[in-house]
Amino acid sequence: MKVSFRDLGQMDYKACWDLQQTLFDSLTARKRPAADTVRNATGTESSAADAARETDGAAIPAEDAGTILLVEHPPVYTLGKSGRAENLLIPKAALEAMGAKFFHIDRGGDITFHGPGQLVCYPILDLERLGIGLREYIASLEEAVIRTTARYGIAAGRIAGASGVWIGEGATPDGEGRPRKICAIGVRSSRYVTMHGFALNVSTDLRWFSRINPCGFTDRGVASIASETGREVPMNEVKTRVLTHLSEILNVEIYK
């Protein structure tokens, strides 16, 4: 099974969200009977075949299971559909004054930050074609990050009851050794097609996280590869390693 990837470099969050939605629509359109109708971006109805044609500019090849987008965003905070607005600790106007944006979006999870120095990975994949369920898929994303951070001598892992990838001992905070999140994960799935994904802190300015309760937690910290190793790591190197591990774990050929 093949999956393509696109390295988008730096891209505005909303523009990237729109691209995700286009790719998502292309995949879900394949899964509908031809007589089904779908609602397009203008609010009018069209057939599934029409929807596939409308997304030809960014369509996913018929033989592929999907596309992976890699990107860095300008500063932006996103709140998941089940998130709590009070986990944003300063007014939205203050964020805008600092040059950051805010979006309430349709993924799972609470509030998180995206910005320069952070590798954001958006896999738009058909899980039925991959032969896995949603829980296994999320575990696969976590495992790809765990293997990637291990290449830099970082012992990261999972914590019971909390999504994402963490550094630190145990499932509860313990003073100076409290868990620190190095990667946030939030996924949307419909008809077994995924959107959104994970955000791995490579050399992110962690001060941005002080304006929120990251992922809704008030008693846990954040980390990056740079903060844990004390050195800057090339972003392109991290991208290559993430794709290698995703290919291994999902058992797909990832090509550009």
Side-chain angles (χ1 to χ4, degrees):
M1 188 64 64
K2 292 185 177 182
V3 171
S4 66
F5 85 92
R6 303 183 192 184
D7 187 344
L8 302 175
Q10 294 193 7
M11 189 176 194
D12 175 77
Y13 183 83
K14 180 59 166 61
C16 192
W17 189 0
D18 289 345
L19 175 58
Q20 279 195 80
Q21 188 66 57
T22 298
L23 293 167
F24 178 87
D25 290 345
S26 178
L27 268 187
T28 54
R30 294 183 195 170
K31 301 168 76 72
R32 296 186 179 95
D36 278 4
T37 59
V38 294
R39 191 163 296 277
N40 63 25
T42 65
T44 59
E45 288 188 345
S46 61
S47 71
D50 289 339
R53 284 194 292 271
E54 288 170 4
T55 60
D56 276 350
I60 295 170
E63 67 274 12
D64 286 6
T67 295
I68 295 172
L69 304 177
L70 301 180
V71 65
E72 288 181 74
H73 293 305
V76 60
Y77 293 91
T78 66
L79 180 67
K81 59 186 178 182
S82 59
R84 300 170 61 186
E86 57 265 36
N87 285 321
L88 175 62
L89 304 179
I90 64 175
K92 293 179 186 177
L95 292 184
E96 293 173 359
M98 292 185 291
K101 295 182 179 180
F102 176 88
F103 290 94
H104 200 161
I105 62 173
D106 58 356
R107 60 160 171 79
D110 209 286
I111 195 165
T112 195
F113 168 79
H114 300 311
Q118 182 186 73
L119 174 57
V120 185
C121 178
Y122 297 126
I124 300 92
L125 302 176
D126 184 341
L127 299 186
E128 284 189 314
R129 296 202 70 184
L130 295 179
I132 61 174
L134 185 59
R135 287 189 179 182
E136 184 180 352
Y137 168 68
I138 292 174
S140 296
L141 298 185
E142 292 172 339
E143 183 62 25
V145 173
I146 290 168
R147 293 185 189 182
T148 297
T149 54
R151 299 287 294 272
Y152 298 101
I154 299 171
R158 301 173 179 85
I159 288 181
S163 66
V165 178
W166 298 78
I167 301 166
E169 297 179 358
T172 57
D174 57 352
E176 292 300 319
R178 66 178 182 162
R180 306 176 301 286
K181 179 172 269 191
I182 194 168
C183 178
I185 292 181
V187 172
R188 173 195 171 194
S189 174
S190 178
R191 293 178 179 259
Y192 297 99
V193 176
T194 65
M195 274 186 67
H196 306 295
F198 66 81
L200 171 60
N201 296 325
V202 178
S203 58
T204 321
D205 183 347
L206 300 180
R207 291 174 294 182
W208 285 104
F209 291 95
S210 67
R211 287 104 184 186
I212 60 174
N213 292 323
C215 302
F217 292 107
T218 60
D219 54 2
R220 302 181 184 186
V222 290
S224 68
I225 293 176
S227 72
E228 294 297 310
T229 63
R231 64 186 179 91
E232 295 294 317
V233 173
M235 180 63 76
N236 285 339
E237 179 181 281
V238 178
K239 290 176 180 178
T240 298
R241 289 179 171 174
V242 163
L243 290 173
T244 296
H245 295 309
L246 283 173
S247 176
E248 295 168 349
I249 296 163
L250 297 174
N251 193 29
V252 295
E253 176 189 342
I254 298 177
Y255 71 94
K256 189 169 184 177

